[in-house]
Structure formats: structure tokens, C-alpha cells
Amino acid sequence: MAAWLKRQSAWLGLVLCLWLGLAWADAFSVQRVHTYLAQDVYRLDADLKLEFSPASLEAMRNGVPLTLELEMRVRQVRDWVWDEDLAHVVQRYRLEYHALSGQYLLVNLNSSTRQSYPTLGMATDRIARIRDFPLLDRSLLQTKQLYYGELRIKLDIESLPAPLRPLAYISSDWWLSSEWYRWAL
């Protein structure tokens, strides 16, 4: 009886781990992407969904900054070999909570611009609503070729403090990443 109970407990634990892993699988997602041509530059508008796990929110409120990577690429479709990357852009943001001021600080790590927000929702809306982002110069594209864009956002586990990384690697609460969103360019 005890052996049977141990096996059932093990299966229940496995199912629970898988369920918890799937619970945050869609916490980050790309909702909409639109590109348009303006002054010979393809520009990008996108809407993202960012829902942080309780563990990541608790860590941030305890002084751990979270780094988000917004990864964009433009690829050329090729028939006989793999598709070629024409552009690959990584936009990085650091999100911090300052307990003394009660403010959320958002730092664009590419441009070093800083902005503070009174709520987490306002800070994440700034990241989640991308508008008029210069993606690619028109001159890099050839006529009669097919191109597509891809976009994803993820929490950068490598930027977490070293003592927290082992836990982040094994806990599904920290694996916050959207799937690649693809659209025709």
C-alpha cells in the first residue's frame, strides 16, 4: 500500500509541476504587430501582453531588477537553404521597484533613458505598446523577394543576480517568454 501511495504521489507531483509550468506559458505574448513604410524606413507598431509571475513580482519588490529583451528580426525567404536574417534588433529594458519612493523605474538599456511610473501597470504599458519603432531601411530589401518579420519578448534570466539564477533556471515562474510572432513584411 505504501509503495502504491508513493507512486501516486510522484505522478501527482509530476502533473502539478507540468500544470504550473503551463500556467505561466502564455504570461508574455505578442498580441498584434503592424509594419508600415514612412520616409523609406519600415516602422513597427506592436502590442504585447506582459503578466509577471508572483515570484518575479516578489523579487522585484524586494530590490531585484528585472531585465526584459524585446527581440525583432527581419528575414528573407529562400527556397533551397534556411532563411537569411537581414536585421536583428534587441531592445533591452530594466524594470526596478524603489521602495522608498514607491515608484517603478524603467530604463531603456539601449539608449539609457529613464522614466519613473507610480504603478507597475503604467511601467509595463510603456514596454507593451511599441509605436513608430524604426525597424529596417527600405534600401536593404530587393524587389521580387519575400520577407517576414518576427518578434518576441522574454525575461532575461542571465541578468538576474547570481544567487537567484539557479532557482530561476529550474522554476517555471521565471521562464517568461512569448512565442515568436511572425508577420509578412
Side-chain angles (χ1 to χ4, degrees), residues 50-113:
L50 302 175
E51 289 183 17
F52 292 92
S53 66
S56 63
L57 288 175
E58 181 183 351
M60 184 173 48
R61 288 190 183 112
N62 286 312
V64 175
L66 301 180
T67 301
L68 301 173
E69 286 187 352
L70 180 64
E71 196 172 358
M72 299 165 270
R73 58 188 183 193
V74 175
R75 307 188 85 195
Q76 177 184 354
V77 177
R78 301 193 314 185
D79 291 331
W80 297 101
V81 293
W82 50 89
D83 296 346
E84 180 182 9
D85 280 352
L86 292 180
H88 188 201
V89 179
V90 178
Q91 191 75 21
R92 293 173 48 87
Y93 298 94
R94 186 176 63 232
L95 185 58
E96 303 173 14
Y97 178 69
H98 290 272
L100 288 176
S101 65
Q103 297 280 311
Y104 291 87
L105 179 66
L106 181 64
V107 180
N108 181 325
L109 297 174
N110 294 55
S111 66
S112 298
T113 57

Side-chain angles (χ1 to χ4, degrees), residues 37 40-43 74 86-87 133-141 147 185:
L37 192 59
D40 286 335
V41 174
Y42 280 96
R43 297 190 170 274
V74 175
L86 292 180
F133 186 87
L135 184 61
L136 181 74
D137 192 271
R138 181 182 187 178
S139 65
L140 296 174
L141 304 181
Y147 299 94
L185 189 65

Side-chain angles (χ1 to χ4, degrees), residues 118-139:
T119 67
L120 177 63
M122 292 174 75
T124 57
D125 281 351
R126 171 61 187 91
I127 302 169
R129 292 180 36 88
I130 303 160
R131 296 294 179 264
D132 201 35
F133 186 87
L135 184 61
L136 181 74
D137 192 271
R138 181 182 187 178
S139 65

Side-chain angles (χ1 to χ4, degrees), residues 4 6 38 45 48 55 66 75 87 100 108 126 131 146 149 155 160 171-172 174 179 185:
W4 178 84
K6 283 183 180 180
D45 288 348
L48 312 172
L66 301 180
R75 307 188 85 195
L100 288 176
N108 181 325
R126 171 61 187 91
R131 296 294 179 264
L146 296 176
L155 177 68
L160 292 171
S171 172
S172 61
W174 291 94
E179 297 292 324
L185 189 65

Side-chain angles (χ1 to χ4, degrees), residues 148-169:
Y148 62 92
E150 291 182 318
L151 180 128
R152 77 171 172 184
I153 188 158
K154 67 178 183 172
L155 177 68
D156 181 16
I157 293 177
E158 291 295 317
S159 67
L160 292 171
L164 188 55
R165 274 186 234 148
L167 174 64
Y169 284 127

